[in-house]
């Protein structure tokens, strides 16, 4: 059935102060935003993520939410993107996906989501014989999108090739002043820490990221431990007592000398969900 307002032309006539004007029809808007949404590559597990179901339990979650909604409201007049860093489970990816969807709906932005490891795998696959796509064809959507969400930066295994490829994407977006939202479990600790930005991405990429993004450290509560809708009291108790609370981890009794490394290893394990055996020969079939 054709649209009653525009007869499927995508343009409708409206009355503004007694003058008849032509404007985009609502049906055109919703068609456009639904096709942009289809092209945004949002993984199904994040399909439910919206701004109004983002859980705010901490000040840093509130600050990140505010900066994010400000970005959406000012788009495309935006100087810098956002970089959400912090532990797993604090809502970084949820917020990034919700902002991406809001930008599509509000501004009709061409926006794409890539998990960093997945993007690197797609590029790597182009090196196999029998694949037609070139490295650039795979990277172009990520480089040229109005908004790129690059999720879980730093979860990939470090190598010179990985550094170069990520550096190239970051640089290209920086040069074109395109808006990027990064999420990462990396921390801005000393450059000897394997989980630091400086160690994992290199000082050059770190400084690019500082220039092109507002950095927001997000601390949360572990909703896997507390359940989805914890009360304020439960949150306070958790922050005070749980060994997983940021407060207790930071003052944690790890031995002084090797403390940094031990903490880094612990964090690495948490992230992988399994112990890294640190076999000196590297992993079989390593990426
Ligand atoms: Zn219409």
């Amino acid at each position: 059935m054709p649209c009653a307002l525009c007869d499927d032309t995508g343009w409708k006539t409206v009355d503004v102060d007694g003058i008849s004007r032509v404007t985009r029809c609502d049906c055109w808007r919703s068609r456009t935003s639904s096709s942009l949404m289809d092209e945004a590559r949002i993984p199904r597990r994040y399909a439910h993520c919206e701004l109004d179901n983002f859980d705010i339990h901490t000040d840093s979650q509130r600050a990140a939410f505010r900066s994010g909604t400000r970005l959406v409201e000012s788009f495309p007049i935006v100087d810098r993107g956002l970089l959400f860093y912090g532990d797993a489970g604090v809502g970084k990816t949820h917020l990034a996906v919700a902002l991406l969807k809001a930008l599509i709906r509000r501004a009709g932005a061409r926006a794409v989501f890539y998990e960093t490891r997945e993007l690197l795998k797609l590029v790597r696959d182009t090196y196999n014989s029998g694949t037609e796509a070139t490295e650039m064809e795979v990277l172009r959507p990520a480089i040229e999108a109005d908004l790129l969400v690059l999720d879980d930066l730093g979860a990939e295994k470090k190598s010179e090739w990985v550094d170069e490829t990520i550096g190239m994407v970051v640089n290209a977006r920086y040069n074109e002043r395109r808006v990027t939202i990064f999420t990462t479990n990396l921390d801005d600790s000393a450059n000897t820490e394997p989980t630091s930005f400086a160690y994992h991405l290199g000082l050059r990429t770190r400084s690019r990221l500082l220039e092109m993004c507002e950095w927001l450290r997000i601390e949360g509560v572990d909703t896997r431990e507390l359940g989805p809708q914890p009360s304020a009291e439960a949150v306070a108790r958790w922050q005070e007592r749980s060994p997983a609370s940021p407060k207790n981890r930071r003052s944690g009794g790890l031995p002084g000398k090797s403390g940094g490394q031990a903490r880094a290893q612990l964090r690495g394990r948490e992230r992988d969900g399994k112990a890294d055996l640190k076999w000196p020969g590297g992993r079989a079939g390593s990426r």
Side-chain angles (χ1 to χ4, degrees), residues 3 6 25 27:
C3 173
C6 73
C25 185
C27 75

Side-chain angles (χ1 to χ4, degrees), residues 3-8 10 25-28:
C3 173
L5 288 173
C6 73
D7 199 24
D8 285 352
C25 185
D26 307 344
C27 75
W28 180 86

Side-chain angles (χ1 to χ4, degrees), residues 69-80:
T69 46
R70 209 178 303 136
L71 183 147
V72 170
E73 281 156 17
S74 356
F75 191 87
I77 317 294
V78 174
D79 287 343
R80 295 199 297 170

